[in-house]
Structures are given as structure tokens and as C-alpha cells.
Amino acid sequence: MSPGGLRLLRSYEIVNAEELPGRLVVLYPAVCSGGKSYAQATNVDLAGRELRDYEVFLPGVFVDVSRDCHESEIYVVDVTEWTVTPIDPMHGHPYDERRVTCVELDAIGYKGRVGFFAGDPRVHRTGYRPDASTWIPDDGSGLAGSRDRLRIVEEGGRYTIKGVSVTHLYRDGREETRPYTRKDRPPATGHGVMPPPKPVVPPAPPRSVDALESIADVEALEPESLPLERPAGLPWIIGGSIVVGVLALWGALRARARA
């Protein structure tokens, strides 16, 4: 918790981002400090690399709007034949959670992006400025954040954004999803419900040594991953003899596979 209270994280999804062929939906700036693009404020990340200060919306992915991004806006960009590639989610600033990067936007640098989003004819403004994440006083509401689902609407070559629904998130794990009305974003009521539990994925069964078919199979197994089976009626061998036995078995398997 900061001196300002509790963190309220705000995230957004464009539900029809994939329905705009040849175009990207972009949040700019997406990482901010002191009210400016973080890249404009510091230029480089903790590793000395230039920061990417934008976020590309993908279907099913919520984009976080960082604190201090009070002038962030959602744009539609004509990008025919541009290259979009996945990036390491831990690249750059530790709070940067972008999923993809655009090679052409990276190439013009942070200074070039300022002018690009301000007046390039390939950039279409939607006029929608999402609320930034912030800190709120502990007023007992239990709110932890919100996830807004939005839709891009094209009319006569102009792009606007309509709200679909908002999910209010509570600190105890409850969620409350409400549809947008024609005019308003519905507020939280405090009556959220716990989401259904995530399905449990059973662990893969251990591989039997007898099932190994090649040297690659044997070399893929570390000694500690080899199965140990206790013969019926025999007690477990205690202490260092277990390690010795495993190493011996591993070495024998490697020799047998190479034979």
C-alpha cells in the first residue's frame, strides 16, 4: 500500500480488435511517469534499452493503463504489411506487460512516436481516454480494480468506442459484471460473487524407464526425474544410497542407449 491508499488497477479489452483487417488498435502512451509517457520521461528501461511506450490490443487480452497515464488515448492505426511479433512480457520496465510489439513503431523511436500519434494520416483518433490506474483511500468498498470491455465502431471512416460491460473486482476475490447503459458506465454495487474455480489440470504421469526409445529420451531425463519403484516387501533405502543408486541407474541407461 502507498501513502495514497490502496491500488486500483484499471484494465481494458477491445472485444472486436480482430475484426479490423489491416489495422491495429493501440493505446498510447501506455507507460507513464509524472503525467508523461514513461519513455519521454526516462527514455530507457532498467537494462538501458529504449522503452516501448505503447500497447497493442489483442482479442481476449486486457491492457492495463498505468498510473499517471492521464492523457492516454486509444487509436486505430492503418498498418498494412507492418510486422507485429510477440515479445518477452518481462522486457523493459517491470510494470510493462505488453504482449506484442510492432517493428515499425519501434523503429521510429519514442520521439518519433510522439509526432506519429499526433498527426500521421495513418492514425485515427477515437477520442476515448481510459481511466488510469490509481490509488484510492481505504473506504471499505473492497474494490481492487475493474476490467472494461469495449467495442470499436466505424462510421464513415471515423472510429468511436462503445462500452460493452465492466467487471468490478473486489479484494476478497469477488467479481461483479454489469452491462453498459446507453449513457453510463455502471458503478460497483458491492454485491459481487466469487468466480467459478479454475479447472484443475492433473499432472502428467511419470515416464517409465522401460518406455524410453532413444538416446534423446535418456538424455532428457535428469537423475532426479527417474522413477524410483520400491519392490514389494522391501523397505526404502535411506540416505545417500538413494542418490548413488539413481546416478548409477542413469549412467547405465545412457550407456545402454549408446550401445
Side-chain angles (χ1 to χ4, degrees):
M1 187 175 72
S2 81
L6 301 174
R7 189 184 184 201
L8 189 71
L9 182 64
R10 294 187 171 116
S11 305
Y12 298 81
E13 177 195 4
I14 303 297
V15 298
N16 62 333
E18 79 283 4
E19 298 175 8
L20 301 172
R23 295 174 176 85
L24 288 180
V25 184
V26 180
L27 176 70
Y28 176 82
V31 182
C32 304
S33 178
K36 297 181 179 180
S37 157
Y38 194 87
Q40 294 179 51
T42 67
N43 188 20
V44 295
D45 64 16
L46 300 180
R49 297 167 296 195
E50 181 177 315
L51 280 170
R52 298 181 180 94
D53 53 354
Y54 64 92
E55 180 83 66
V56 177
F57 286 91
L58 298 176
V61 176
F62 283 91
V63 169
D64 298 339
V65 181
S66 81
R67 183 185 175 206
D68 285 343
C69 278
H70 303 300
E71 296 189 5
S72 295
E73 187 171 339
I74 295 177
Y75 299 85
V76 177
V77 184
D78 295 329
V79 292
T80 303
E81 298 182 355
W82 281 22
T83 304
V84 177
T85 60
I87 63 172
D88 183 349
M90 293 304 294
H91 172 83
H93 193 271
Y95 296 108
D96 181 6
E97 298 176 354
R98 284 181 295 274
R99 273 65 172 190
V100 298
T101 184
C102 181
V103 174
E104 288 76 9
L105 280 180
D106 292 346
I108 63 177
Y110 78 96
K111 291 182 178 179
R113 288 191 290 274
V114 174
F116 178 79
F117 284 101
D120 192 285
R122 292 168 291 183
V123 175
H124 306 274
R125 300 187 65 173
T126 67
Y128 186 92
R129 290 188 171 181
D131 290 331
S133 299
T134 187
W135 298 91
I136 60 172
D138 188 0
D139 57 2
S141 67
L143 284 175
S146 59
R147 293 175 177 170
D148 288 71
R149 292 173 175 85
L150 310 172
R151 177 179 295 276
I152 295 281
V153 178
E154 180 181 5
E155 297 177 351
R158 297 178 61 88
Y159 295 90
T160 57
I161 289 182
K162 305 292 184 184
V164 177
S165 65
V166 56
T167 298
H168 297 286
L169 308 174
Y170 295 88
R171 299 188 185 278
D172 61 2
R174 291 177 297 131
E175 298 181 0
E176 178 187 17
T177 299
R178 303 186 65 190
Y180 269 69
T181 64
R182 287 188 176 183
K183 296 182 179 180
D184 299 318
R185 177 183 185 270
T189 67
H191 300 298
V193 298
M194 295 299 293
K198 296 181 179 180
V200 178
V201 179
R207 297 177 65 188
S208 170
V209 174
D210 294 336
L212 300 178
E213 297 179 353
S214 68
I215 182 62
D217 289 331
V218 176
E219 292 181 337
L221 286 177
E222 295 296 331
E224 60 269 19
S225 69
L226 294 174
L228 291 176
E229 298 182 0
R230 177 171 61 90
L234 292 180
W236 280 105
I237 301 175
I238 306 300
S241 58
I242 292 179
V243 177
V244 174
V246 170
L247 291 174
L249 176 60
W250 184 55
L253 285 170
R254 291 171 62 91
R256 186 183 70 183
R258 290 191 174 97

